[in-house]
């Protein structure tokens, strides 16, 4: 048998096995490098984007690192850590109880026969039932009560415990009819162009008539539903779908699938269950409460279904194998049915930062959203050492997964001692169900001073003075409305660096609000060429951009990622004006 995985968005040009044959390191033309387990081919770690294309890889005999040789002649060691965590990312453990903590979970054992609606085993919630799919025709049903509007979680633990079961969980009415979740009406038709799509990645969805599509719209293809996150950003790109990076997130409990070239796809609008949309000549898709794989990929192949009861009464939970498999051994599962527990966790990237005096480094915050919580998350960084500032508080916007702050050092700063490092506190806060939930994320680790910067960046007003307000002792403020494009200027100060200053492609604008992006980047992205120190760039707000204020910055890939001081971008409310440029006065 041959196993394959979608590994990189561009061709792989170098790879190497570890000395013991248990690890594989791959490097691609887009400067990405990833570590994989062998033979499972599970991604263990994604290294930071390399300064240049990695042309050769060589493992050390001890199995602790790989030597990477790059096209620019540089060599570097890519470390292999115990259990292979991300070296600069630490997942926060929630110290506060979940909003709807379940402490009285009743443990039950499956009672056969329970394959037909009339045989369904009655359970009292909250409950965990341990059962097994004993044959190809086995379906296990459990009867429970729910009130109209009650939000429940149905979760399967099977594959995570070594079971062969590829689970599917459904909610039915007592007579066995499926409970409808949503009605999707197609409003535009399309199809996959250039190439098909695998079942994992969130990037490069090439779609016919993409210019007629808008961000946050739902895309339906062969039973899978995703949401559009970012437009194609150049002549050789496609849409990004939520969450914008990594494995894609599906909507309405659908399962990610592989899609063929020229396969039909539709932009759809959701309607309440039971709706009968006015016919428009395009299909209508009715989705029921069922799930194969966890839509957010947190639980792998195990099922996770968020159910909202449409009315008071009895319901059935049905467990089966999606392939129709089953057996006397090793098709066991544990089904939990309980009140929903919305929550979140936040990981901190860029710990142990090395900050150059007079410049900044990025600190990244990535949210894991749990059981349907999609609201905003505020990140505070407190008690920084003397001589250091940050752009916190920053916010992970509602429905989004990340935010980026800049840790800046004054020119005359003194390196902090251990006590100063340990005094720093990072705190994530959100309001869930009307209650403030606060998670302590620890410190930023060992804050160190780096060598003086070779490149520093500053964001300045562009050619349109009406789009910016300069403040003598505060960051400049830029103003934009949905549907508009404004200009700004990036100025670089070079010190012993004469090369090209690259500032990213689709990710060029750091920490911009959702729906706002650096535009007109072409194939090479935002950059300042050799011998120059300035570049005008353009910021566009899509029609979905929401009013609000947010700090953003630029980052140079040169000199290990020097970050500019942030400026403020305020998205103003949309106007009814059409065919003319609306005023940007706040």
């Amino acid at each position: 048998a041959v196993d394959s995985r979608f590994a990189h968005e561009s061709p792989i040009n170098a790879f190497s096995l570890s000395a013991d044959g248990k690890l594989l390191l791959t490097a691609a033309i887009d400067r990405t490098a990833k570590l994989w387990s062998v033979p499972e081919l599970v991604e263990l770690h994604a290294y930071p984007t390399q300064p240049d294309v990695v042309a050769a890889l060589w493992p050390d005999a001890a199995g602790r690192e790989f030597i990477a040789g790059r096209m620019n002649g540089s060599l570097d060691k890519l470390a292999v850590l115990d259990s292979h965590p991300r070296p600069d990312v630490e997942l926060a453990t929630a110290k506060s109880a979940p909003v709807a903590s379940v402490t009285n979970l009743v443990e039950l054992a499956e009672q056969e026969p329970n394959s037909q609606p009339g045989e369904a085993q009655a359970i009292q919630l909250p409950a965990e039932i341990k059962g097994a799919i004993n044959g190809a025709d086995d379906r296990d049903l459990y009867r429970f009560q729910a009130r109209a509007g009650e939000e429940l979680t149905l979760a399967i633990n099977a594959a995570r415990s070594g079971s062969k079961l590829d689970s599917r969980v459904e909610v039915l009415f007592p007579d066995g009819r499926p409970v409808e979740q949503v009605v999707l009406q197609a409003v535009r038709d399309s199809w996959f162009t250039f190439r098909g799509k695998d079942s994992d990645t969130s990037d490069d969805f090439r779609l016919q008539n993409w210019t007629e599509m808008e961000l946050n719209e739902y895309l339906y293809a062969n039973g899978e539903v995703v949401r559009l996150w970012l437009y194609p950003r150049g002549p050789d790109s496609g849409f990004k779908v939520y969450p914008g990076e990594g494995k894609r997130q599906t909507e309405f409990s659908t399962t990610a699938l592989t899609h063929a070239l020229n396969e039909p796809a539709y932009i759809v609008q959701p309607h309440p269950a039971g709706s009968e949309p006015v016919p428009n000549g395009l299909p209508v898709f009715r989705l029921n409460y069922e799930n194969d794989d966890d839509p957010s990929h947190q639980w792998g192949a195990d099922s996770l279904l968020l159910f909202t009861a449409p009315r008071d009464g009895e319901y059935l939970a049905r467990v089966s194998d999606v392939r129709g498999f089953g057996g006397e051994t090793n098709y066991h599962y544990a089904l939990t049915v309980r009140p929903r527990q919305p929550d979140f966790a936040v990981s901190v990237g860029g710990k142990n930062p090395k900050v150059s005096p007079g410049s900044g480094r990025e600190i990244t915050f990535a949210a894991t959203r749990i059981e349907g919580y999609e609201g905003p998350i505020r990140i505070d960084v407190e008690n920084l050492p003397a001589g250091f500032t940050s752009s916190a508080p920053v916010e992970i916007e509602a429905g989004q997964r990340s935010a980026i702050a800049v840790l800046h050092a004054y020119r005359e700063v003194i390196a902090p001692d251990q006590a100063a490092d340990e005094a720093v506190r990072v705190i994530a806060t959100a309001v869930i169900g009307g209650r403030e939930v606060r998670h302590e994320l620890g410190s930023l680790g060992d804050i160190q001073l780096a060598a003086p910067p070779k490149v520093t960046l500053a964001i300045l007003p562009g050619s349109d003075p009406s789009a910016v307000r300069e403040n003598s002792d505060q960051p400049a403020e830029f103003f934009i409305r949905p549907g508009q494009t404004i200009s700004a200027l990036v100025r670089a100060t070079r010190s012993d660096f004469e090369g090209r200053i690259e500032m990213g492609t689709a990710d060029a604008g750091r920490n911009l609000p959702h729906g706002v992006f650096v535009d007109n980047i072409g194939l090479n992205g935002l950059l300042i060429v050799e011998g120059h120190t300035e570049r005008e760039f353009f910021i566009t707000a899509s029609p979905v951009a929401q009013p609000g204020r947010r700090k953003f910055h630029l980052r140079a890939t040169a000199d290990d990622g020097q970050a500019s001081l942030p400026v403020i971008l305020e998205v103003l409310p949309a106007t009814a004006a059409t065919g003319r440029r609306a005023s940007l006065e706040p």
Side-chain angles (χ1 to χ4, degrees), residues 59-354:
D60 75 330
R64 306 301 302 167
E65 58 193 20
F66 290 82
I67 306 299
R70 306 188 184 98
M71 294 291 288
N72 61 6
S74 64
L75 295 174
D76 203 359
K77 296 177 180 179
L78 302 181
V80 176
L81 304 181
D82 291 337
S83 71
H84 318 298
R86 292 180 180 267
D88 63 342
V89 174
E90 180 179 314
L91 186 63
T93 301
K95 295 185 178 180
S96 58
V99 169
S101 180
V102 176
T103 58
N104 57 337
L105 200 66
V106 178
E107 295 186 1
L108 302 171
E110 177 196 0
Q111 297 176 5
E112 295 277 11
N114 63 342
S115 294
Q116 300 299 321
E119 302 170 336
Q121 178 180 342
I123 60 174
Q124 294 290 325
L125 304 187
E128 180 185 69
I129 310 98
K130 294 184 178 179
I133 300 300
N134 296 318
D137 297 327
D138 194 12
R139 308 285 188 272
D140 293 344
L141 287 101
Y142 303 94
R143 187 182 305 273
F144 63 91
Q145 294 275 348
R147 302 182 307 275
E150 186 175 3
E151 296 180 335
L152 299 174
T153 294
L154 289 81
I156 294 285
N157 186 337
R160 288 171 293 152
S161 299
S163 173
K164 295 180 182 179
L165 182 70
D166 188 353
S167 64
R168 178 169 67 177
V169 63
E170 307 163 78
V171 177
L172 313 174
F173 288 115
D175 60 3
R177 290 179 296 114
V179 179
E180 192 170 83
Q181 177 183 183
V182 67
V183 176
L184 301 177
Q185 182 179 34
V187 293
R188 285 186 295 282
D189 58 349
S190 181
W191 58 89
F192 287 89
T193 64
F194 184 64
R195 61 186 172 203
K197 198 67 198 146
D198 63 43
S199 61
D200 279 334
T201 54
S202 58
D203 197 6
D204 203 22
F205 273 65
R206 309 283 184 106
L207 297 164
Q208 182 69 15
N209 302 324
W210 71 266
T211 56
E212 299 177 5
M213 302 175 186
E214 189 49 78
L215 302 186
N216 292 344
E217 288 186 324
Y218 293 99
L219 178 74
Y220 176 99
N222 194 28
E224 178 185 1
V225 184
V226 296
R227 290 181 77 193
L228 304 180
W229 189 79
L230 182 64
Y231 304 111
R233 300 306 321 284
D236 187 28
S237 66
F239 274 105
K240 289 179 182 284
V241 301
Y242 274 79
E245 60 183 358
K247 293 185 177 182
R248 66 179 178 263
Q249 170 185 311
T250 58
E251 307 293 334
F252 306 114
S253 302
T254 57
T255 297
L257 302 171
T258 298
H259 303 288
L261 177 64
N262 296 324
E263 180 181 307
Y266 301 90
I267 294 297
V268 294
Q269 291 180 349
H271 298 271
S275 298
E276 295 292 342
V278 176
N280 62 3
L282 293 174
V284 172
F285 307 100
R286 298 183 179 275
L287 303 185
N288 302 321
Y289 277 109
E290 61 180 354
N291 178 252
D292 172 7
D293 298 338
D294 171 18
S296 62
H297 297 279
Q298 296 174 34
W299 289 10
D302 285 338
S303 304
L304 178 68
L305 179 62
L306 303 182
F307 170 63
T308 301
R311 64 194 188 200
D312 292 348
E314 286 189 336
Y315 296 91
L316 305 180
R318 181 164 66 186
V319 180
S320 60
D321 186 286
V322 72
R323 306 158 300 180
F325 291 1
E328 294 295 330
T329 59
N330 208 22
Y331 280 85
H332 59 271
Y333 64 85
L335 166 66
T336 302
V337 186
R338 55 167 172 76
R340 198 176 302 178
Q341 297 175 274
D343 203 348
F344 66 93
V346 175
S347 61
V348 182
K351 286 194 171 187
N352 305 316
K354 297 180 180 180

Side-chain angles (χ1 to χ4, degrees), residues 90 348 351-352 420-426 441-446:
E90 180 179 314
V348 182
K351 286 194 171 187
N352 305 316
D421 287 338
E422 293 176 350
V424 177
R425 288 291 175 266
V426 184
L441 309 182
S443 71
L444 294 178
D446 182 13

Side-chain angles (χ1 to χ4, degrees), residues 48-51 350 353-356 359-364 404-408 450 453-457 497 501-504 510 553-565:
T49 301
Q50 300 297 296
K354 297 180 180 180
V355 189
S356 298
S359 189
R361 297 290 187 192
E362 289 188 339
I363 306 295
T364 62
I404 308 172
V406 173
L407 179 64
H408 187 268
K454 296 180 180 180
V455 175
T456 58
L457 301 176
F497 184 84
I501 302 173
E502 298 178 347
M503 289 162 280
R510 311 293 286 174
H553 62 278
L554 298 175
R555 180 195 62 180
T557 57
D559 199 14
D560 296 325
Q562 300 288 351
S564 73
L565 279 172

